[in-house]
Amino acid sequence: MSLSGRKKIWVLYASQTGNSQQAATRIAEKIPSKLPGYEAALVSLDDFLEIEKAAWTQFVLICLSSYGVGQAPMGGYGFRHFCDYIVEHNCADVLKGVHFGLLGLGDSMYTTFFHNPTITNEAMEKAGATRIAKIGKADASK
């Protein structure tokens, strides 16, 4: 719970071109009016790990894309390593009790479209987090 008495929802992003950050910002701005009693905390995925010490809350929203050949974009390299570790070492239940939403942005003209969001989803679920809605896909080619 924050100083305002509202529950915190992390809105996390990683963005190469700024589109994921812009989407995350727009989502964060709507949280107080759409979900009374909650406030948004907007930060990049890597800052969440490094500065915020991965202070998971009950609800987390993640906005990210793929870059290059399916890698993480800027602000998401460390989080991607975190996700790869979870997938490779089958770290079950480390995020039990966390509920998350995921919005992936990209362009389906590229063969690596949605690779990074797919790995992120797999890692979150393997770690015991529960996805609260269908994965959002924003495709620049559609």
Side-chain angles (χ1 to χ4, degrees):
M1 186 119 15
S2 71
L3 294 175
S4 68
R6 294 181 179 158
K7 293 180 182 177
K8 184 186 296 187
I9 296 177
W10 286 110
V11 181
L12 309 173
Y13 65 88
S15 188
Q16 195 71 29
T17 62
N19 292 333
S20 295
Q21 182 177 3
Q22 184 179 22
T25 300
R26 291 172 80 182
I27 291 167
E29 289 170 348
K30 292 181 183 214
I31 285 176
S33 64
K34 298 287 185 183
L35 298 169
Y38 288 89
E39 67 181 16
L42 178 69
V43 69
S44 76
L45 286 160
D46 285 353
D47 284 350
F48 174 71
L49 291 179
E50 296 168 20
I51 297 170
E52 302 297 336
K53 307 294 185 217
W56 296 97
T57 54
Q58 183 179 8
F59 298 105
V60 177
L61 300 174
I62 302 171
C63 299
L64 74 165
S65 60
S66 294
Y67 178 71
V69 290
Q71 300 129 320
M74 291 189 305
Y77 305 130
F79 195 83
R80 174 60 184 269
H81 290 298
F82 170 75
C83 289
D84 289 341
Y85 184 88
I86 288 171
V87 170
E88 291 168 13
H89 295 90
N90 202 23
C91 300
D93 295 334
V94 296
L95 296 179
K96 190 172 185 173
V98 172
H99 298 78
F100 74 102
L102 180 63
L103 171 61
L105 289 83
D107 191 329
S108 60
M109 288 180 47
Y110 295 97
T111 58
T112 57
F113 171 66
F114 222 68
H115 183 72
N116 190 47
T118 299
I119 294 294
T120 301
N121 181 68
E122 181 182 358
M124 295 292 289
E125 289 184 335
K126 276 194 176 194
T130 303
R131 190 166 25 85
I132 57 175
K134 184 179 172 185
I135 299 172
K137 281 188 179 182
D139 185 351
S141 287
K142 293 189 179 187

